Amino acid sequence: MKKKLLYIGSAVVLVAVGFFVYTSFGSTEKTVSFETAKIGKGSISNTITATGTLEAIKTVEVGTQVSGVIEKILVDFNSQVKKGQLLAQLDETPLMAQLEQSKSTVDQSNAEVKYQKATYDRYKVLVEKKLIAQSDFDLAEYNYNKALATLSNAKSMYDKNKINLSYARIYSPIDGIIIERAVDEGQTVAASFSTPTLFTIANDLTQMRVEAKVDEADIGKVSNGQRVEFTVDAYPLRKFNGEVTEIRLKPVSSANVITYTVVINAPNPDKTLMPGMTANASFFVTERKDILVVPSKAVQFTPDEATMATYNQKAAGGNTQMQKPTQNQAMGEAAPKNQQTESAEKTVWIKQGLMVRPQKVTVGVTDEIHYEVLSGLNEGDEVVIAMSAATSSAKATAAAAKSPFMPQRPGSNRKTTATTTKQ
């Protein structure tokens, strides 16, 4: 009895295993699924980045050409000044004393000239009458010319001391704002070897510039008139616009890294930006707006030829054979990186209804996510970006494993279609 039950149980197990094998491998139906995207308009841009420093377009350091003690300071930090406005005044007492001394020297020289001229005139009459020796006349002429030279030198010294006295008053050379004051009242400044800086004046903070350091590997992509966006640490969420105005040819070497200085104009109408801020700039090397774009996945997509042929035959009711692309079309090679002006012919696969066919397109610039469409596609066309093929049993297993509570893949313009073919 036990043996009989054992035989019956074994038979049931064999039938179950056979049924499982049949359901798993007996069906040869295959499901082909496509992931597609619709052609639409967008923007493509390629950028390079660099850092720089904000500066006023015109900055003047105001100093003094004479030494002395600062007697008065009439402006302070952030003071608005006009050209010719008095900023500070040095103690004029020693300068006036020098001026008076030089004036006395001029007066003395004038008296000497008058005396020597009278002597010269008298000796000239006598030498013509041969009443004195020629050597006596020559000495009188020499003394007269020497007195004239001494007078000229005294006058020059007087003029110099007069100018130095005027230097005791420091005036603004431009209209602007005081961004630095380096001295205080009572401080002594010495101008013996170099001109000490008293004030730094920025001409106009509503128009500033960024001096960016661009790496030598990227400098060839930068050109005058190029659009630039930059941010500063003080306002990280705000983007400022600028334009390349100058590319300086002198290289700057730091730690064996070569960079070039690129000047970017930075309008600052609300005076938000301040001198010395660090700017993080993005140069738009390539920029296209409101153009037709195709996903790079569609350009790089290459289907399995046999699977695609079987799919199209089934979709067409077995009466139509798939249009075969040329060898270059089937490769679907990617365009060169950083392509800016060149165009290239590529192949994409368009889905029209249930049919999928290859289409030649001409593409332009790329940001490696999208390509610019120059010809071959229209807005609204549906292109294939991925294809998958699976047996019906595998599909059922995948459907059973999928949870309705899992999030869906983003991208409302993509959809997946499936067609079952029997081999």
Side-chain angles (χ1 to χ4, degrees), residues 17-35:
V17 171
F19 180 79
F20 177 79
V21 171
Y22 176 78
T23 56
S24 300
F25 302 102
S27 175
T28 60
E29 290 186 350
K30 180 179 289 187
T31 300
V32 178
S33 300
F34 296 97
E35 188 176 352

Side-chain angles (χ1 to χ4, degrees), residues 336-347:
K337 294 183 179 180
N338 298 326
Q339 181 176 339
Q340 296 184 28
T341 57
E342 296 182 357
S343 61
E345 191 176 69
K346 304 295 179 182
T347 299

Side-chain angles (χ1 to χ4, degrees), residues 217-255:
D218 296 327
I219 193 63
K221 303 172 186 176
V222 179
S223 59
N224 285 328
Q226 203 168 61
R227 190 172 79 87
V228 181
E229 285 185 354
F230 66 91
T231 61
V232 294
D233 294 340
Y235 308 98
L237 300 181
R238 182 174 174 181
K239 290 185 177 180
F240 300 88
N241 293 313
E243 183 180 288
V244 175
T245 59
E246 182 183 0
I247 303 173
R248 295 178 180 171
L249 302 179
K250 182 180 179 180
V252 179
S253 179
S254 177

Side-chain angles (χ1 to χ4, degrees), residues 2 294 306 398:
K2 291 181 179 181
V294 58

Side-chain angles (χ1 to χ4, degrees), residues 57-231:
I57 292 180
K58 185 177 182 181
T59 302
V60 178
E61 293 182 347
V62 181
T64 175
Q65 298 188 55
V66 293
S67 302
V69 177
I70 302 293
E71 188 175 62
K72 294 180 182 178
I73 293 181
L74 305 176
V75 293
D76 204 347
F77 290 94
N78 302 334
S79 295
Q80 293 283 346
V81 296
K82 296 291 184 180
K83 183 177 181 180
Q85 180 178 335
L86 183 63
L87 306 179
Q89 183 176 340
L90 277 67
D91 183 10
E92 298 179 347
T93 304
L95 298 174
M96 292 184 67
Q98 292 177 6
L99 182 64
E100 290 296 328
Q101 182 180 2
S102 60
K103 187 175 183 304
S104 299
T105 304
V106 170
D107 293 341
Q108 183 179 356
S109 298
N110 270 323
E112 181 69 18
V113 166
K114 288 181 180 179
Y115 170 75
Q116 294 297 340
K117 185 177 185 304
T119 303
Y120 169 78
D121 291 340
R122 185 170 58 254
Y123 276 43
K124 185 177 181 182
V125 174
L126 295 176
V127 77
E128 289 175 354
K129 295 180 179 181
K130 297 183 180 181
L131 298 176
I132 60 172
Q134 183 66 35
S135 60
D136 293 336
F137 173 75
D138 292 341
L139 179 60
E141 185 179 23
Y142 166 74
N143 289 334
Y144 175 58
N145 290 331
K146 183 179 178 181
L148 288 174
T150 302
L151 175 61
S152 177
N153 183 59
K155 287 182 177 180
S156 297
M157 186 61 65
Y158 175 79
D159 292 339
K160 178 181 177 181
N161 289 332
K162 190 175 181 179
I163 293 173
N164 286 341
L165 179 61
S166 68
Y167 286 156
R169 298 185 177 222
I170 313 300
Y171 298 94
S172 174
I174 59 172
D175 294 342
I177 183 172
I178 303 293
I179 61 175
E180 183 181 2
R181 176 174 62 82
V183 292
D184 292 307
E185 289 185 0
Q187 183 174 338
T188 301
V189 291
S192 302
F193 300 101
S194 62
T195 302
T197 299
L198 307 183
F199 306 95
T200 302
I201 304 176
N203 184 28
D204 184 8
L205 293 184
T206 62
Q207 293 292 331
M208 302 187 69
R209 68 182 182 185
V210 177
E211 292 193 359
K213 304 298 182 184
V214 178
D215 189 87
E216 62 176 326
D218 296 327
I219 193 63
K221 303 172 186 176
V222 179
S223 59
N224 285 328
Q226 203 168 61
R227 190 172 79 87
V228 181
E229 285 185 354
F230 66 91
T231 61

